[in-house]
Amino acid sequence: MKTKPAKPGHKPIAAPGPKPSRAPSGNRDQPFEPQRARAPSRSTVMRLAAEVATLAAKLEASQARIGELETRIDIDPLTDVLNRRGFERELKRSLAYVKRYGTSVALLFIDLDDFKPVNDRHGHAAGDAMLQAIAAALTRHVRASDVVARLGGDEFAVLLWNVNIPDAAAKAKALEAAIYATPLHFDNATLVVGASAGLAHLGALDGPADVLARADAAMYARKAEKSTSPRVRGEVERTK
């Protein structure tokens, strides 16, 4: 096929090509540089540093408060000794030591005698004050390594570490005497309660329920023994 000759005075249409890039406005002889960010002022830096310090102090205070609450969750709010939850944790830990290292640990289960008349005659305020006094007396008469807990109501427990059977039995009698020797002066009366302590030694094959059951049974046996023996405790109430 023959190509037709172009007409005189008519320019051929050029094929489209890439568009030339446009130079940035301004001085075309200078290379393009991005605009630099301005550095924050000294006052802004100091303000931000102060805010960071304040937030860090609040975080530290919050962490300390959380740690305090986690500790207090195992404490009886009335007597300031361990509650049942805290005691069960310590009992499990003690059993683990006994199984692994052969440590000698004894559990005393203590139930107060003649405590109900205190509440009945003088009200719960007197009963609460008596429980506080007894918890403090138990804490004074054991070592720092031992554990004192209020299990609930008028029941207490003591874990004695590194103690043999005769010494644990002697300590049980001594704590009974210490409780009786802790009179409470309330209004115009001096209130006195006794206690019965049951003893159980932790064994390598024991679980927490086993030890508690043995100590509880020993406590009731002690109550029965005292009920048939001559009364050695004084009157529950001695009027001034």
Side-chain angles (χ1 to χ4, degrees):
M1 180 178 180
K2 292 182 180 181
T3 304
K4 293 182 179 180
K7 295 182 178 179
H10 180 77
K11 294 182 180 180
I13 299 175
K19 294 182 179 180
S21 60
R22 299 180 61 184
S25 61
N27 192 345
R28 299 185 179 184
D29 296 333
Q30 297 295 330
F32 175 75
E33 293 183 0
Q35 186 177 3
R36 296 180 180 179
R38 295 178 59 186
S41 64
R42 179 180 177 83
S43 61
T44 301
V45 172
M46 293 180 66
R47 178 175 57 80
L48 292 175
E51 291 178 357
V52 170
T54 301
L55 291 174
K58 290 182 178 179
L59 177 61
E60 184 178 357
S62 297
Q63 291 174 336
R65 179 60 177 162
I66 291 172
E68 179 184 354
L69 292 175
E70 288 177 345
T71 301
R72 297 299 300 178
I73 199 173
D74 289 336
I75 300 297
D76 177 51
L78 176 64
T79 60
D80 208 34
V81 297
L82 288 179
N83 58 20
R84 191 177 190 96
R85 170 192 170 104
F87 166 76
E88 290 176 348
R89 184 200 66 221
E90 290 299 316
L91 179 58
K92 291 177 181 178
R93 186 172 71 91
S94 300
L95 285 168
Y97 268 78
V98 169
K99 293 175 183 179
R100 185 166 185 176
Y101 302 108
T103 307
S104 177
V105 183
L107 167 63
L108 300 181
F109 193 107
I110 302 172
D111 185 78
L112 301 184
D113 302 327
D114 300 320
F115 178 75
K116 188 174 183 297
V118 173
N119 279 330
D120 292 344
R121 298 175 189 175
H122 302 278
H124 289 285
D128 289 349
M130 178 65 76
L131 292 173
Q132 291 171 337
I134 289 170
L138 291 174
T139 303
R140 287 195 306 269
H141 287 83
V142 299
R143 300 162 297 179
S145 59
D146 299 328
V147 176
V148 177
R150 180 189 175 207
L151 302 183
D154 61 346
E155 294 179 340
F156 291 83
V158 179
L159 283 171
L160 303 172
W161 277 73
N162 297 319
V163 62
N164 56 35
I165 294 177
D167 288 345
K171 177 57 73 173
K173 298 289 183 64
L175 292 181
E176 287 182 352
I179 290 172
Y180 178 66
T182 306
L184 173 68
H185 304 293
F186 190 85
D187 290 340
N188 294 321
T190 299
L191 310 179
V192 180
V193 297
S196 299
L199 170 64
H201 273 264
L202 279 61
L205 300 180
D206 283 333
D210 302 324
V211 182
L212 278 170
R214 290 204 308 272
D216 186 58
M219 180 271 294
Y220 279 108
R222 175 62 176 157
K223 277 188 180 292
E225 174 190 347
K226 291 167 67 176
S227 66
T228 58
S229 62
R231 191 175 182 86
V232 295
R233 294 174 286 106
E235 296 297 327
V236 174
E237 178 180 345
R238 296 198 294 265
T239 304
K240 289 183 179 179

